[in-house]
Amino acid sequence: MPGQSQSPRAPRDARTASGSGRFDFGSLSRPPVGPGTTLQRQGSDPSSSPARLRSSESPSHRGRDHSGSFSGPSSGSSGQQLPEQDCIKLNPSFIGIFASSLLAVDLWMSKKLGVCAGENSSWGSVRPIMKLLEISGHGIPWIACTVYCLFKSDSSAGQEVMLNLLFALILDLILVGVLKALVRRRRPSHNKMDMFVTLSVDKYSFPSGHATRAAMGARFFLNHLVLAIPVRILIVLWAFVLGISRVMLGRHNVTDVVCGFFIGYLQYSLVEYLWLSPSTLNLFFEP
């Protein structure tokens, strides 16, 4: 009737055809059904449905910590960072680049200079001469000759020099063997293992024992023996050619020989510091 307020009419979609014929206002609080939305049956619990993951268990939420940063599936919700060794180093250090470049140049030069590594090499005909040089710098002939001169010497001064030379040779063998066992650098791939009297540690390359022995022996002879100038020049030339022959035979890389010369130079300084006096010499020759 006019003048009287009428109650608002319920929406058409709020009325359901239930068995009791009553209005169902629950549909007003439900989200609208659109394309792409999955309808669920009445009375089912969305949270208990096995086909739907809770937001806290989804892979995208599981990989995020409380601060909202993604920490990966292995770090969990605690937000722990990955170990440093698992990270990719995009900025290598200058020392690492320099060491890698030096190693590449060393291997390239050693390969180019290994002209006597085999009989079929470019300088294969010179290989026998290089092997004679190899024997001249071997430790066993050096020790044998030094022991012979030590017992055949008539003067105490000569015996003192030979005793310290023997001490220097034994020290050289120990230090080079320890360094080879620690570094464990393999010999060049083009090397032919036909060396004179090798030990188990001789399969390693760094440093060159021939180079250390040549540098130490040359300094020892030049400082403790009275030699003519031509002989002194020959000793220096022998040490230099012996080092070069190690690379030409393919026994060592260039850095093995260079570092061997440096180590042998320092070994002589150590022998001078630990020089055995005549009183120590009497302990060996007292009846």
Side-chain angles (χ1 to χ4, degrees):
M1 293 178 63
Q4 294 181 355
S5 60
Q6 297 179 357
S7 59
R9 185 175 298 177
R12 185 180 299 272
D13 58 352
R15 185 179 300 163
T16 58
S18 60
S20 60
R22 293 179 299 177
F23 290 101
D24 185 7
F25 292 95
S27 61
L28 297 176
S29 60
R30 295 173 186 169
V33 178
T37 306
T38 305
L39 291 174
Q40 294 184 352
R41 291 180 300 174
Q42 187 176 1
S44 62
D45 187 5
S47 62
S48 62
S49 176
R52 176 176 295 181
L53 292 173
R54 291 195 298 263
S55 61
S56 60
E57 295 180 355
S58 63
S60 60
H61 286 77
R62 193 161 44 214
R64 297 180 180 273
D65 54 9
H66 299 289
S67 61
S69 60
F70 187 76
S71 59
S74 61
S75 60
S77 59
S78 59
Q80 297 179 355
Q81 296 181 355
L82 293 174
E84 185 178 354
Q85 60 267 21
D86 294 339
C87 301
I88 301 177
K89 296 182 179 180
L90 299 179
N91 296 320
S93 62
F94 174 77
I95 298 178
I97 296 176
F98 177 77
S100 301
S101 303
L102 180 62
L103 179 61
V105 173
D106 179 34
L107 296 177
W108 177 78
M109 290 183 60
S110 303
K111 184 72 174 180
K112 289 294 183 181
L113 294 176
V115 294
C116 301
E119 288 79 5
N120 298 326
S121 301
S122 57
W123 287 23
S125 59
V126 192
R127 183 177 172 84
I129 300 177
M130 295 298 170
K131 293 191 70 174
L132 287 177
L133 278 172
E134 181 179 62
I135 296 175
S136 69
H138 200 278
I140 292 180
W142 274 68
I143 292 177
C145 293
T146 303
V147 171
Y148 177 80
C149 294
L150 176 63
F151 286 97
K152 287 295 182 178
S153 180
D154 297 332
S155 62
S156 58
Q159 291 178 351
E160 180 181 353
V161 171
M162 291 296 106
L163 178 63
N164 283 275
L165 179 59
L166 179 62
F167 168 68
L169 294 174
I170 296 175
L171 180 64
D172 173 72
L173 290 177
I174 295 175
L175 292 179
V176 171
V178 170
L179 287 176
K180 285 186 175 182
L182 290 177
V183 178
R184 294 177 176 269
R185 185 184 190 184
R186 293 288 180 177
R187 291 188 182 271
S189 58
H190 55 279
N191 174 46
K192 184 179 179 181
M193 288 297 294
D194 57 349
M195 293 181 291
F196 172 74
V197 188
T198 58
L199 302 176
S200 60
V201 75
D202 288 330
K203 62 184 178 181
Y204 301 121
S205 178
F206 182 90
S208 171
H210 284 70
T212 59
R213 199 171 300 113
M216 183 191 63
R219 282 196 72 187
F220 193 96
F221 290 154
L222 294 178
N223 285 279
H224 292 283
L225 296 181
V226 179
L227 301 172
I229 293 179
V231 178
R232 298 170 72 90
I233 295 175
L234 287 177
I235 290 176
V236 175
L237 185 62
W238 167 81
F240 179 76
V241 174
L242 179 62
I244 294 296
S245 68
R246 306 306 293 160
V247 182
M248 295 178 65
L249 283 171
R251 308 296 195 201
H252 295 278
N253 297 302
V254 176
T255 52
D256 300 335
V257 176
V258 174
C259 294
F261 279 140
F262 181 72
I263 293 173
Y265 187 89
L266 296 180
Q267 279 182 354
Y268 173 79
S269 301
L270 180 61
V271 171
E272 285 291 316
Y273 179 77
L274 302 175
W275 187 265
L276 301 179
S277 60
S279 59
T280 307
L281 183 64
N282 295 331
L283 297 176
F284 292 90
F285 293 95
E286 282 183 354

